[in-house]
Structure formats: structure tokens, C-alpha cells
Coordinates of all heavy atoms in Angstrom, one line a residue:
R1 N 3.1 8.5 -3.2 CA 2.3 9.2 -4.2 C 0.8 9.1 -3.7 O 0.0 9.9 -4.0 CB 2.5 8.7 -5.6 CG 3.8 9.1 -6.1 CD 3.9 8.9 -7.6 NE 4.0 7.5 -7.9 CZ 4.2 7.1 -9.2 NH1 4.2 7.9 -10.2 NH2 4.3 5.8 -9.4
L2 N 0.5 7.8 -3.2 CA -0.9 7.6 -2.7 C -1.4 8.8 -1.8 O -2.4 9.3 -1.9 CB -1.1 6.2 -2.1 CG -2.4 6.0 -1.5 CD1 -3.5 5.8 -2.5 CD2 -2.2 4.7 -0.7
V3 N -0.6 8.9 -0.7 CA -0.9 9.8 0.4 C -1.0 11.2 -0.1 O -1.9 12.0 0.1 CB 0.1 9.7 1.5 CG1 -0.2 10.7 2.6 CG2 0.0 8.2 2.1
E4 N 0.0 11.6 -1.0 CA 0.1 13.0 -1.4 C -1.1 13.3 -2.4 O -1.7 14.3 -2.4 CB 1.3 13.3 -2.1 CG 2.5 13.3 -1.2 CD 3.8 13.6 -1.9 OE1 3.8 13.7 -3.2 OE2 4.9 13.8 -1.2
G5 N -1.5 12.3 -3.2 CA -2.6 12.4 -4.1 C -3.9 12.6 -3.4 O -4.8 13.5 -3.6
L6 N -4.2 11.7 -2.3 CA -5.4 11.8 -1.5 C -5.4 13.1 -0.7 O -6.5 13.7 -0.6 CB -5.5 10.6 -0.6 CG -5.9 9.3 -1.4 CD1 -5.9 8.2 -0.4 CD2 -7.2 9.4 -2.1
A7 N -4.3 13.5 -0.2 CA -4.2 14.7 0.6 C -4.6 15.9 -0.2 O -5.3 16.9 0.2 CB -2.8 14.9 1.3
G8 N -4.0 15.9 -1.4 CA -4.3 17.1 -2.3 C -5.8 17.0 -2.8 O -6.4 18.1 -2.9
E9 N -6.4 15.8 -3.0 CA -7.8 15.7 -3.2 C -8.7 16.3 -2.1 O -9.6 17.0 -2.4 CB -8.1 14.3 -3.5 CG -9.5 14.0 -3.9 CD -9.8 12.5 -4.1 OE1 -8.9 11.9 -4.8 OE2 -10.8 12.0 -3.5
F10 N -8.2 16.0 -0.9 CA -9.1 16.5 0.2 C -8.8 17.9 0.5 O -9.7 18.6 1.0 CB -8.9 15.6 1.4 CG -9.6 14.3 1.4 CD1 -8.9 13.1 1.2 CD2 -11.0 14.3 1.5 CE1 -9.5 11.9 1.1 CE2 -11.6 13.0 1.4 CZ -10.9 11.8 1.3
H11 N -7.6 18.4 0.3 CA -7.2 19.7 0.7 C -7.8 20.7 -0.5 O -8.3 21.7 -0.2 CB -5.8 19.9 0.8 CG -5.3 21.3 1.3 ND1 -4.8 22.2 0.5 CD2 -5.4 21.8 2.5 CE1 -4.5 23.2 1.1 NE2 -4.9 23.1 2.4
G12 N -7.5 20.4 -1.7 CA -7.9 21.1 -2.8 C -7.3 22.5 -3.0 O -7.9 23.3 -3.7
G13 N -6.2 22.7 -2.5 CA -5.7 24.0 -2.5 C -4.2 23.9 -2.7 O -3.7 23.0 -3.3
D14 N -3.5 24.9 -2.1 CA -2.0 25.0 -2.2 C -1.3 23.9 -1.5 O -1.4 23.8 -0.3 CB -1.5 26.4 -1.8 CG -0.1 26.6 -1.9 OD1 0.5 26.0 -2.8 OD2 0.4 27.4 -1.0
P15 N -0.5 23.1 -2.2 CA 0.3 22.1 -1.5 C 1.3 22.6 -0.4 O 1.7 21.8 0.4 CB 1.0 21.3 -2.6 CG 0.3 21.6 -3.9 CD -0.3 23.0 -3.7
G16 N 1.6 23.8 -0.5 CA 2.6 24.4 0.4 C 1.9 24.9 1.8 O 2.6 25.3 2.6
S17 N 0.6 24.8 1.9 CA 0.0 25.4 3.0 C 0.0 24.4 4.2 O 0.3 23.2 4.1 CB -1.5 25.7 2.7 OG -2.1 24.6 2.5
K18 N -0.3 24.9 5.4 CA -0.2 24.1 6.6 C -1.2 23.0 6.6 O -0.9 21.9 7.1 CB -0.5 25.1 7.8 CG -0.2 24.3 9.2 CD -0.5 25.3 10.3 CE -0.2 24.7 11.6 NZ -1.2 23.7 11.9
G19 N -2.4 23.2 6.2 CA -3.4 22.1 6.2 C -3.0 20.9 5.3 O -3.2 19.8 5.7
Y20 N -2.3 21.2 4.2 CA -1.9 20.1 3.3 C -0.8 19.2 4.0 O -0.9 18.0 4.0 CB -1.3 20.7 2.0 CG -0.8 19.7 1.1 CD1 -1.6 18.9 0.3 CD2 0.6 19.4 1.0 CE1 -1.1 18.0 -0.5 CE2 1.2 18.5 0.0 CZ 0.2 17.8 -0.7 OH 0.7 16.8 -1.6
S21 N 0.1 19.9 4.7 CA 1.2 19.1 5.4 C 0.6 18.3 6.6 O 1.1 17.2 6.8 CB 2.3 20.0 5.9 OG 1.8 20.9 6.8
D22 N -0.4 18.7 7.3 CA -1.1 18.0 8.2 C -1.8 16.8 7.7 O -1.7 15.8 8.3 CB -2.2 18.9 9.0 CG -1.5 19.9 9.9 OD1 -0.3 19.8 10.2 OD2 -2.2 20.9 10.3
L23 N -2.5 17.0 6.5 CA -3.1 15.9 5.9 C -2.2 14.8 5.4 O -2.4 13.6 5.5 CB -4.0 16.4 4.7 CG -5.2 17.1 5.0 CD1 -5.9 17.6 3.8 CD2 -6.2 16.1 5.8
V24 N -1.0 15.3 4.9 CA 0.0 14.3 4.5 C 0.6 13.5 5.7 O 0.8 12.3 5.6 CB 1.2 15.0 3.8 CG1 2.5 14.0 3.5 CG2 0.7 15.5 2.4
Q25 N 0.8 14.1 6.8 CA 1.2 13.5 8.0 C 0.3 12.5 8.5 O 0.7 11.4 8.9 CB 1.6 14.6 9.1 CG 2.2 13.9 10.4 CD 2.5 15.0 11.3 OE1 2.5 16.2 11.1 NE2 3.1 14.5 12.5
E26 N -1.0 12.8 8.6 CA -2.0 11.9 9.0 C -2.1 10.8 8.0 O -2.4 9.6 8.4 CB -3.4 12.6 9.0 CG -3.6 13.5 10.2 CD -3.7 12.7 11.5 OE1 -4.2 11.6 11.5 OE2 -3.1 13.2 12.5
G27 N -1.9 11.0 6.7 CA -2.0 9.9 5.7 C -0.8 9.0 5.8 O -1.0 7.8 5.7
M28 N 0.3 9.5 6.1 CA 1.5 8.6 6.2 C 1.3 7.7 7.5 O 1.7 6.5 7.5 CB 2.8 9.6 6.4 CG 3.2 10.2 5.2 SD 3.6 9.0 3.9 CE 4.3 10.0 2.7
T29 N 0.8 8.3 8.6 CA 0.5 7.5 9.8 C -0.5 6.4 9.5 O -0.4 5.3 9.9 CB 0.0 8.4 10.9 OG1 1.0 9.4 11.2 CG2 -0.2 7.6 12.2
A30 N -1.5 6.8 8.7 CA -2.5 5.7 8.3 C -1.9 4.7 7.4 O -2.3 3.5 7.5 CB -3.7 6.4 7.6
L31 N -1.0 5.1 6.5 CA -0.4 4.1 5.6 C 0.4 3.1 6.4 O 0.4 1.9 6.2 CB 0.5 4.8 4.7 CG 1.2 4.0 3.5 CD1 0.1 3.3 2.7 CD2 2.0 4.8 2.6
L32 N 1.2 3.5 7.4 CA 1.9 2.6 8.3 C 1.0 1.7 9.1 O 1.2 0.5 9.2 CB 2.7 3.4 9.4 CG 3.9 4.3 8.8 CD1 4.5 5.1 9.8 CD2 4.9 3.2 8.2
R33 N -0.1 2.3 9.5 CA -1.2 1.4 10.2 C -1.7 0.4 9.2 O -2.0 -0.7 9.6 CB -2.3 2.3 10.8 CG -3.1 1.7 11.9 CD -4.0 2.7 12.6 NE -4.8 3.5 11.7 CZ -4.6 4.8 11.6 NH1 -3.7 5.5 12.3 NH2 -5.4 5.6 10.8
A34 N -1.9 0.8 8.0 CA -2.5 -0.2 7.0 C -1.4 -1.2 6.7 O -1.9 -2.5 6.5 CB -2.7 0.6 5.7
M35 N -0.2 -1.0 6.7 CA 0.9 -2.0 6.5 C 0.9 -3.0 7.6 O 1.0 -4.1 7.4 CB 2.2 -1.3 6.3 CG 2.4 -0.5 5.0 SD 3.8 0.5 4.9 CE 5.1 -0.4 5.8
K36 N 0.7 -2.5 8.8 CA 0.7 -3.5 10.0 C -0.6 -4.3 9.9 O -0.5 -5.4 10.4 CB 0.8 -2.7 11.2 CG 2.1 -2.0 11.5 CD 2.2 -1.2 12.7 CE 3.5 -0.5 12.9 NZ 3.5 0.3 14.1
S37 N -1.7 -3.8 9.6 CA -2.9 -4.4 9.7 C -3.2 -5.4 8.5 O -4.1 -6.3 8.6 CB -4.1 -3.5 9.8 OG -4.3 -2.8 8.6
Y38 N -2.4 -5.3 7.4 CA -2.8 -6.1 6.2 C -2.4 -7.5 6.4 O -1.2 -7.8 6.9 CB -2.1 -5.5 5.0 CG -2.4 -6.2 3.7 CD1 -3.6 -6.0 3.1 CD2 -1.5 -6.9 3.0 CE1 -3.9 -6.8 2.0 CE2 -1.7 -7.6 1.8 CZ -3.0 -7.5 1.4 OH -3.3 -8.1 0.1
D39 N -3.2 -8.4 6.1 CA -2.9 -9.9 6.3 C -2.4 -10.3 4.9 O -3.1 -10.6 4.0 CB -4.2 -10.6 6.7 CG -3.9 -12.0 7.0 OD1 -2.8 -12.4 7.0 OD2 -4.8 -12.8 7.2
N40 N -1.1 -10.6 4.9 CA -0.4 -11.0 3.6 C -0.9 -12.3 3.2 O -0.9 -12.6 2.0 CB 1.0 -10.8 3.8 CG 1.8 -10.8 2.5 OD1 1.2 -10.4 1.4 ND2 3.0 -11.3 2.5
H41 N -1.1 -13.2 4.1 CA -1.5 -14.6 3.8 C -3.0 -14.6 3.2 O -3.2 -15.6 2.5 CB -1.4 -15.4 4.9 CG 0.1 -15.5 5.4 ND1 1.0 -16.1 4.8 CD2 0.6 -15.0 6.6 CE1 2.3 -16.0 5.4 NE2 1.9 -15.3 6.6
A42 N -3.7 -13.7 3.6 CA -5.1 -13.7 3.1 C -5.2 -13.2 1.6 O -6.3 -13.4 1.0 CB -6.0 -12.8 3.9
R43 N -4.0 -12.7 1.1 CA -4.2 -12.2 -0.3 C -4.5 -13.3 -1.3 O -4.9 -13.1 -2.4 CB -3.0 -11.5 -0.7 CG -1.8 -12.3 -1.0 CD -0.6 -11.5 -1.4 NE 0.5 -12.5 -1.8 CZ 1.7 -12.2 -1.7 NH1 2.1 -11.0 -1.5 NH2 2.6 -13.0 -2.1
Y44 N -4.3 -14.6 -0.9 CA -4.5 -15.7 -1.9 C -5.9 -16.1 -1.8 O -6.3 -16.9 -2.6 CB -3.6 -16.9 -1.5 CG -2.1 -16.5 -1.7 CD1 -1.3 -16.3 -0.6 CD2 -1.7 -16.3 -2.9 CE1 0.0 -16.0 -0.7 CE2 -0.3 -15.9 -3.1 CZ 0.5 -15.8 -1.9 OH 1.8 -15.4 -2.1
A45 N -6.7 -15.7 -0.9 CA -8.1 -16.0 -0.8 C -8.9 -15.2 -1.9 O -8.4 -14.1 -2.4 CB -8.7 -15.6 0.6
A46 N -10.0 -15.8 -2.3 CA -10.7 -15.1 -3.5 C -11.3 -13.8 -3.2 O -11.4 -13.0 -4.0 CB -11.8 -16.1 -4.0
S47 N -11.7 -13.7 -1.9 CA -12.4 -12.3 -1.5 C -11.4 -11.3 -0.9 O -11.8 -10.2 -0.5 CB -13.4 -12.7 -0.5 OG -12.9 -13.1 0.6
A48 N -10.1 -11.5 -0.8 CA -9.2 -10.7 -0.3 C -8.8 -9.5 -1.2 O -8.8 -9.7 -2.4 CB -7.8 -11.4 0.0
A49 N -8.8 -8.3 -0.5 CA -8.5 -7.1 -1.3 C -7.0 -6.9 -1.5 O -6.2 -7.3 -0.4 CB -9.1 -5.9 -0.6
P50 N -6.5 -6.4 -2.6 CA -5.1 -6.2 -2.8 C -4.7 -5.1 -1.8 O -5.5 -4.3 -1.3 CB -5.0 -5.7 -4.2 CG -6.2 -6.0 -4.9 CD -7.3 -6.3 -3.8
F51 N -3.3 -5.1 -1.5 CA -2.9 -4.1 -0.5 C -3.2 -2.8 -0.9 O -3.4 -1.9 0.0 CB -1.4 -4.3 -0.2 CG -0.8 -3.3 0.6 CD1 -1.0 -3.3 1.9 CD2 0.0 -2.2 0.1 CE1 -0.6 -2.3 2.8 CE2 0.5 -1.2 1.0 CZ 0.2 -1.3 2.2
A52 N -3.1 -2.4 -2.2 CA -3.4 -1.0 -2.6 C -4.8 -0.6 -2.3 O -4.9 0.6 -1.8 CB -3.1 -0.9 -4.1
D53 N -5.7 -1.5 -2.4 CA -7.1 -1.1 -2.1 C -7.2 -1.0 -0.6 O -7.9 -0.1 -0.1 CB -8.0 -2.2 -2.5 CG -8.2 -2.3 -4.1 OD1 -7.8 -1.3 -4.8 OD2 -8.6 -3.3 -4.6
H54 N -6.5 -1.9 0.2 CA -6.6 -1.8 1.6 C -6.0 -0.4 2.1 O -6.5 0.3 3.0 CB -5.9 -2.9 2.2 CG -5.8 -2.9 3.7 ND1 -6.9 -3.1 4.6 CD2 -4.6 -2.8 4.4 CE1 -6.4 -3.0 5.8 NE2 -5.0 -2.8 5.7
A55 N -4.9 -0.1 1.6 CA -4.1 1.1 1.9 C -4.9 2.3 1.6 O -5.1 3.2 2.3 CB -2.7 1.2 1.3
E56 N -5.5 2.4 0.4 CA -6.3 3.6 0.0 C -7.5 3.8 0.9 O -7.8 4.8 1.3 CB -6.7 3.5 -1.5 CG -7.5 4.7 -2.0 CD -7.8 4.6 -3.4 OE1 -7.5 3.7 -4.0 OE2 -8.6 5.5 -3.8
R57 N -8.2 2.6 1.2 CA -9.3 2.7 2.1 C -8.9 3.3 3.4 O -9.6 4.1 4.1 CB -10.0 1.4 2.1 CG -11.3 1.4 2.9 CD -12.1 0.2 2.8 NE -11.2 -1.1 3.0 CZ -10.9 -1.9 2.0 NH1 -11.4 -1.8 0.8 NH2 -10.1 -3.0 2.3
T58 N -7.8 2.8 4.0 CA -7.3 3.2 5.3 C -6.9 4.6 5.3 O -7.3 5.3 6.3 CB -6.2 2.2 5.8 OG1 -6.6 0.9 5.7 CG2 -5.7 2.5 7.1
V59 N -6.2 5.0 4.3 CA -5.7 6.4 4.3 C -6.9 7.4 4.1 O -7.0 8.5 4.8 CB -4.7 6.7 3.2 CG1 -4.3 8.1 3.0 CG2 -3.4 5.8 3.5
R60 N -7.8 7.0 3.2 CA -9.0 7.9 2.9 C -9.8 8.0 4.2 O -10.3 9.2 4.6 CB -9.9 7.3 1.9 CG -10.9 8.2 1.4 CD -11.8 7.5 0.2 NE -10.9 7.4 -1.0 CZ -10.7 8.3 -1.9 NH1 -11.4 9.5 -1.8 NH2 -9.9 8.1 -3.0
D61 N -10.1 7.0 4.9 CA -10.8 7.1 6.2 C -10.1 7.9 7.2 O -10.8 8.6 8.0 CB -11.0 5.6 6.8 CG -12.1 4.8 6.0 OD1 -12.7 5.4 5.1 OD2 -12.1 3.6 6.1
A62 N -8.8 7.8 7.3 CA -8.0 8.6 8.3 C -8.1 10.1 7.9 O -8.2 10.9 8.8 CB -6.6 8.0 8.3
L63 N -8.0 10.4 6.6 CA -8.1 11.8 6.3 C -9.5 12.4 6.5 O -9.6 13.5 7.0 CB -7.7 11.9 4.8 CG -6.2 11.6 4.4 CD1 -6.0 11.8 3.0 CD2 -5.2 12.5 5.2
L64 N -10.4 11.6 6.2 CA -11.8 12.0 6.5 C -12.1 12.2 8.0 O -12.6 13.3 8.4 CB -12.9 11.0 6.0 CG -13.0 11.1 4.5 CD1 -14.0 10.0 4.1 CD2 -13.7 12.4 4.0
H65 N -11.5 11.4 8.8 CA -11.6 11.5 10.2 C -10.9 12.7 10.7 O -11.3 13.5 11.6 CB -11.1 10.2 10.9 CG -11.2 10.3 12.4 ND1 -12.4 10.1 13.1 CD2 -10.3 10.4 13.4 CE1 -12.2 10.2 14.4 NE2 -10.8 10.4 14.6
H66 N -9.6 12.9 10.2 CA -8.9 14.1 10.6 C -9.6 15.4 10.3 O -9.6 16.4 11.0 CB -7.5 14.0 10.0 CG -6.7 15.3 10.2 ND1 -6.1 15.5 11.4 CD2 -6.4 16.4 9.4 CE1 -5.4 16.6 11.4 NE2 -5.5 17.1 10.1
L67 N -10.2 15.4 9.1 CA -10.9 16.6 8.6 C -12.1 16.9 9.5 O -12.4 18.1 10.0 CB -11.3 16.6 7.2 CG -10.1 16.8 6.2 CD1 -10.7 16.4 4.8 CD2 -9.5 18.1 6.3
A68 N -12.9 15.8 9.9 CA -14.0 15.9 10.7 C -13.6 16.4 12.2 O -14.3 17.2 12.8 CB -14.7 14.6 10.9
E69 N -12.5 15.9 12.6 CA -12.0 16.3 14.0 C -11.5 17.7 14.0 O -11.6 18.4 15.1 CB -10.9 15.3 14.5 CG -11.4 14.0 14.8 CD -12.3 14.0 16.0 OE1 -12.0 14.7 17.0 OE2 -13.3 13.2 16.0
S70 N -10.8 18.2 12.9 CA -10.2 19.5 13.0 C -11.1 20.6 12.5 O -10.7 21.8 12.5 CB -8.9 19.5 12.1 OG -9.3 19.2 10.7
S71 N -12.3 20.3 12.1 CA -13.3 21.4 11.7 C -13.7 22.1 12.8 O -14.2 21.6 13.9 CB -14.5 20.8 10.9 OG -15.2 20.0 11.7
H72 N -13.6 23.4 12.8 CA -14.0 24.3 13.8 C -15.3 25.1 13.5 O -15.2 26.1 12.9 CB -12.8 25.3 14.2 CG -11.6 24.6 14.6 ND1 -11.5 23.9 15.7 CD2 -10.5 24.4 13.9 CE1 -10.3 23.3 15.7 NE2 -9.6 23.7 14.7
G73 N -16.4 24.6 13.7 CA -17.6 25.2 13.4 C -18.4 25.5 14.7 O -18.0 25.0 15.8
P74 N -19.4 26.3 14.6 CA -20.2 26.6 15.8 C -20.9 25.4 16.4 O -21.2 25.3 17.6 CB -21.2 27.7 15.4 CG -21.3 27.5 13.9 CD -20.0 26.9 13.5
V75 N -21.3 24.4 15.5 CA -22.0 23.3 16.0 C -21.2 22.0 15.4 O -20.9 22.0 14.2 CB -23.4 23.2 15.3 CG1 -24.1 21.8 15.8 CG2 -24.3 24.4 15.8
R76 N -21.0 21.0 16.3 CA -20.2 19.9 15.9 C -21.2 18.9 15.5 O -22.1 18.4 16.2 CB -19.4 19.4 17.1 CG -18.6 18.2 16.7 CD -17.7 17.8 17.8 NE -17.1 16.5 17.6 CZ -15.9 16.4 17.0 NH1 -15.2 17.5 16.6 NH2 -15.4 15.1 16.8
L77 N -21.1 18.3 14.3 CA -21.9 17.3 13.7 C -21.3 16.0 13.8 O -19.9 15.8 13.8 CB -22.2 17.5 12.2 CG -23.1 18.9 11.9 CD1 -23.1 19.1 10.5 CD2 -24.3 18.8 12.5
P78 N -22.0 14.9 13.9 CA -21.4 13.5 13.9 C -20.7 13.3 12.5 O -21.2 13.8 11.6 CB -22.6 12.6 14.1 CG -23.6 13.5 14.7 CD -23.4 14.9 14.2
A79 N -19.8 12.4 12.4 CA -19.1 12.2 11.3 C -19.9 11.6 10.1 O -19.8 12.0 9.0 CB -17.9 11.2 11.6
R80 N -20.9 10.8 10.5 CA -21.9 10.3 9.5 C -22.7 11.4 8.9 O -22.9 11.4 7.7 CB -22.8 9.3 10.2 CG -23.8 8.6 9.2 CD -24.5 7.6 9.8 NE -23.7 6.4 10.2 CZ -23.9 5.5 11.0 NH1 -25.2 5.4 11.5 NH2 -23.1 4.5 11.2
M81 N -23.1 12.3 9.7 CA -23.9 13.5 9.2 C -23.0 14.4 8.3 O -23.5 14.8 7.2 CB -24.5 14.4 10.3 CG -25.4 15.5 9.8 SD -26.7 14.9 8.8 CE -27.8 14.2 9.9
E82 N -21.8 14.5 8.7 CA -20.8 15.3 7.8 C -20.6 14.7 6.4 O -20.6 15.3 5.4 CB -19.6 15.5 8.5 CG -19.6 16.5 9.6 CD -18.2 16.9 10.2 OE1 -17.2 16.4 9.7 OE2 -18.2 17.6 11.2
A83 N -20.5 13.3 6.5 CA -20.4 12.6 5.2 C -21.6 12.7 4.3 O -21.5 13.0 3.1 CB -20.2 11.1 5.5
V84 N -22.8 12.7 4.9 CA -24.2 13.0 4.1 C -24.0 14.3 3.5 O -24.4 14.5 2.4 CB -25.3 12.8 5.1 CG1 -26.6 13.2 4.3 CG2 -25.4 11.3 5.4
L85 N -23.7 15.4 4.4 CA -23.7 16.7 3.9 C -22.6 17.0 2.7 O -22.9 17.7 1.7 CB -23.4 17.7 4.9 CG -24.6 17.9 6.0 CD1 -24.1 18.7 7.1 CD2 -25.8 18.4 5.3
R86 N -21.4 16.3 2.9 CA -20.4 16.4 1.9 C -20.9 15.8 0.5 O -20.6 16.3 -0.5 CB -19.2 15.7 2.4 CG -17.9 15.9 1.4 CD -16.7 15.3 2.1 NE -16.9 13.8 2.5 CZ -16.9 13.5 3.8 NH1 -16.9 14.5 4.8 NH2 -17.1 12.2 4.1
R87 N -21.6 14.6 0.6 CA -22.1 14.0 -0.6 C -23.1 14.9 -1.2 O -23.2 15.0 -2.5 CB -22.6 12.7 -0.3 CG -21.5 11.6 -0.1 CD -22.1 10.1 -0.2 NE -23.2 10.0 0.8 CZ -22.8 9.3 2.1 NH1 -21.6 9.0 2.3 NH2 -23.8 9.2 2.9
A88 N -23.9 15.6 -0.4 CA -24.9 16.5 -1.1 C -24.2 17.6 -1.6 O -24.7 18.1 -2.8 CB -25.9 16.9 0.1
D89 N -23.2 18.2 -1.1 CA -22.5 19.3 -1.7 C -21.9 18.9 -3.0 O -21.8 19.7 -4.0 CB -21.5 19.8 -0.8 CG -22.0 20.6 0.3 OD1 -23.2 21.1 0.2 OD2 -21.3 20.9 1.4
E90 N -21.3 17.7 -3.1 CA -20.6 17.2 -4.2 C -21.7 16.9 -5.4 O -21.4 17.1 -6.5 CB -19.9 15.9 -3.9 CG -18.7 16.1 -3.1 CD -18.0 14.8 -2.8 OE1 -18.6 13.7 -3.1 OE2 -17.0 14.9 -2.0
A91 N -22.8 16.6 -5.0 CA -23.9 16.3 -6.0 C -24.5 17.6 -6.6 O -24.9 17.6 -7.7 CB -25.0 15.4 -5.4
A92 N -24.4 18.6 -5.8 CA -25.0 20.0 -6.2 C -24.1 20.6 -7.2 O -23.0 20.4 -7.5 CB -25.3 20.8 -5.1

């Protein structure tokens, strides 16, 4: 549900379309990567993030990276600049 929810949030359209399934696939791959990279023993430390937070952050970053890589525009912008422009669009 985490991956499907985030993919739907980033896609914003019909869940049956091709772009949505690509986002879900990227999200599932990122979720597996998050499972491998999570340090289960560190969860007892005071500053350790729960697995759900770690997984959401990893999946969200992977989806943003996938969208940045797959965007076909006349000019390619750095990922950081795209993030700034996206925040400006959301604020408007």
C-alpha cells in the first residue's frame, strides 16, 4: 500500500496507465533496497528512524529520481533545480 499510494500521489492520474505501473515497479525495487539497507539493531537507538519512515523516504526518493530521469524536455535540468521548480509550482 505504501508504494501504490506514493506512486498514485506522484502520478496523479489513472492507475491503469503505463506511467503508473512504471512508478509502482520503481517503488517496489526501492522498497526491497530499503529492506536490505535498514539496520534492524539500530532501531533501539534513540535517534533511529522506524522502518516505515526509512522505507517511505527511500521509495519517495526513488520515485522522484525516476521521474527526473524519465522526463523528456528540450532542456535537462539538474534534479535539485527540478525539486525547486516543483516546490514553486506546488506553492502557487
Side-chain angles (χ1 to χ4, degrees):
R1 289 195 285 182
L2 169 72
V3 173
E4 289 180 358
L6 288 173
E9 178 181 317
F10 283 107
H11 187 259
D14 179 28
S17 66
K18 184 178 184 295
Y20 178 77
S21 61
D22 288 343
L23 287 175
V24 170
Q25 183 175 1
E26 284 293 323
M28 290 296 190
T29 305
L31 184 59
L32 291 174
R33 200 168 50 248
M35 287 170 37
K36 289 179 183 177
S37 69
Y38 185 69
D39 186 8
N40 196 25
H41 298 291
R43 73 177 187 202
Y44 298 108
S47 63
F51 175 72
D53 293 342
H54 174 70
E56 182 177 355
R57 184 172 47 249
T58 304
V59 171
R60 187 177 297 273
D61 289 345
L63 293 179
L64 285 171
H65 181 73
H66 175 73
L67 288 174
E69 288 293 320
S70 65
S71 64
H72 302 289
V75 177
R76 182 176 170 89
L77 296 174
R80 183 174 292 168
M81 183 57 74
E82 287 187 8
V84 169
L85 291 173
R86 186 176 49 256
R87 283 194 300 265
D89 285 342
E90 289 173 358

